[in-house]
Amino acid sequence: HDIFLSSPFNNRLSIKEIMEEINIYESVFKHTLTGNIAISDTNNILVDYPIVGYETITLIFDNPTIEDSVPIEKEFRVYNISQYTPVGEQVAGYVINFVSVETITNSQTKISQSYMGKNISNIVQTIYEDYVDSDKPLVVEETRNIHDVIIPNWSPFHSMNWLSSRGISETYNGANYFFFETLEGFNFVSLEGLIDEVRTDKDLYPEGVKMHYTYKMKNVSEKPGQINPEAFRSASEYKVDRTFNVLQNLSLGMYGSKLITHDIVRRSYKEYDFDYKE
């Protein structure tokens, strides 16, 4: 519907008419939303407005394929101008890059604190409430096991990303947690939980099998405004990282090895023999 550029030095400015392309990215591998806007500038707003990195971008948009769609309004922070290209004497093309506002505040915040006798999900919830300056909701999937954790002068997002690598789901067997943002808010959830949200065929697989994937192109035979369940089971690309190497495995003790442990307190030692075949 519209795109507004706001600056502490000037009034709010609509750049909808000079916008050529806009992209917003969600990813489980990124802490926050990112995006960019391709601009065809005929009024030299880059210099006259000016755009210096203190600005915010407000986007108002919806999905035209969904009836009665409620417009989404999101605010982002400008952090960079790239691909500046003069086009003639009075036109310049460039890309405005932006991120969620929380990215800026996160880089300015550090945590030095201990969290004792808590599970990972509770620690993440506490860090978010105490250190992330945001009114966006946080969805947390419960983890199991109690931990003693010391955060050594890390940013909130780095801390929660580190905790995600140690979280074990209370519901599922995996240890595949991600901390990321979507248009709805922040999430600290497991990969298994994300898959289960879109599955309609849970009863088709034997116990222990999460999903069968098929090698084919995505987004084929999908109707506008509808999501094809098969799209979540399509693998558009795959590769074999490596196959077995007996010589390497032998040197690493994969097939047979002995571990000797020494307990200096009890002044004792134990031997553990490992046999791959058994």
Side-chain angles (χ1 to χ4, degrees), residues 3-263:
I3 306 171
F4 293 104
L5 189 67
S6 301
S7 167
F9 311 112
N10 287 294
N11 297 326
R12 195 152 101 152
L13 176 68
S14 174
I15 58 174
K16 177 184 176 182
E17 301 303 324
I18 62 174
M19 182 270 297
E20 290 189 339
E21 179 181 324
I22 181 169
N23 302 286
I24 300 178
Y25 302 101
E26 293 180 348
S27 174
V28 296
F29 301 109
K30 292 185 178 180
H31 299 145
T32 60
L33 299 177
T34 61
N36 55 64
I37 303 175
I39 298 293
S40 180
D41 188 356
T42 58
N43 298 318
N44 199 27
I45 67 169
L46 181 63
V47 175
D48 293 342
Y49 184 67
I51 304 176
V52 296
Y54 282 95
E55 296 74 29
T56 57
I57 291 279
T58 303
L59 307 175
I60 306 173
F61 59 96
D62 65 9
N63 189 339
T65 64
I66 299 178
E67 295 184 4
D68 302 324
S69 174
V70 178
I72 299 173
E73 182 172 339
K74 289 290 180 182
E75 185 176 271
F76 299 91
R77 176 71 180 269
V78 175
Y79 74 92
N80 176 251
I81 298 289
S82 62
Q83 302 180 36
Y84 182 87
T85 306
V87 183
E89 294 182 357
Q90 297 181 341
V91 182
Y94 50 86
V95 175
I96 300 176
N97 301 287
F98 57 83
V99 293
S100 295
V101 178
E102 290 82 2
T103 306
I104 304 299
T105 56
N106 171 74
S107 64
Q108 300 170 328
T109 306
K110 299 297 180 183
I111 303 174
S112 294
Q113 188 169 336
S114 63
Y115 299 89
M116 301 298 179
K118 294 185 176 182
N119 57 33
I120 295 294
S121 55
N122 287 340
I123 298 174
V124 168
Q125 184 77 49
T126 302
I127 290 176
Y128 186 83
E129 293 174 353
D130 293 346
Y131 293 98
V132 180
D133 185 16
S134 176
D135 56 0
K136 299 174 183 176
L138 171 67
V139 177
V140 177
E141 183 181 325
E142 195 72 18
T143 61
R144 71 179 76 164
N145 301 332
I146 300 300
H147 295 263
D148 294 336
V149 173
I150 297 176
I151 305 298
N153 200 39
W154 287 345
S155 68
F157 288 170
H158 179 79
S159 302
M160 289 186 279
N161 187 61
W162 180 81
L163 290 167
S164 70
S165 66
R166 285 153 177 77
I168 300 176
S169 175
E170 182 70 36
T171 306
Y172 307 100
N173 293 325
N176 302 295
Y177 269 81
F178 295 93
F179 174 73
F180 60 96
E181 183 188 7
T182 66
L183 290 173
E184 287 75 32
F186 287 94
N187 301 269
F188 184 80
V189 295
S190 69
L191 181 61
E192 292 86 353
L194 292 173
I195 291 175
D196 269 356
E197 283 185 13
V198 299
R199 289 183 65 196
T200 58
D201 54 355
K202 300 179 183 180
D203 297 333
L204 300 180
Y205 300 130
E207 185 176 354
V209 177
K210 296 303 295 182
M211 187 176 292
H212 286 161
Y213 288 90
T214 305
Y215 179 59
K216 61 181 178 181
M217 295 181 64
K218 291 183 178 293
N219 303 324
V220 177
S221 72
E222 287 191 16
K223 298 180 181 180
Q226 296 182 356
I227 298 177
N228 185 358
E230 292 186 2
F232 298 103
R233 302 191 300 272
S234 301
S236 58
E237 180 183 349
Y238 74 93
K239 65 179 180 178
V240 178
D241 287 333
R242 65 182 180 183
T243 59
F244 66 87
N245 186 323
V246 174
L247 294 178
Q248 185 182 61
N249 294 341
L250 282 171
S251 65
L252 294 174
M254 175 177 173
Y255 303 117
S257 59
K258 175 181 287 188
L259 173 67
I260 303 175
T261 64
H262 175 238
D263 189 332

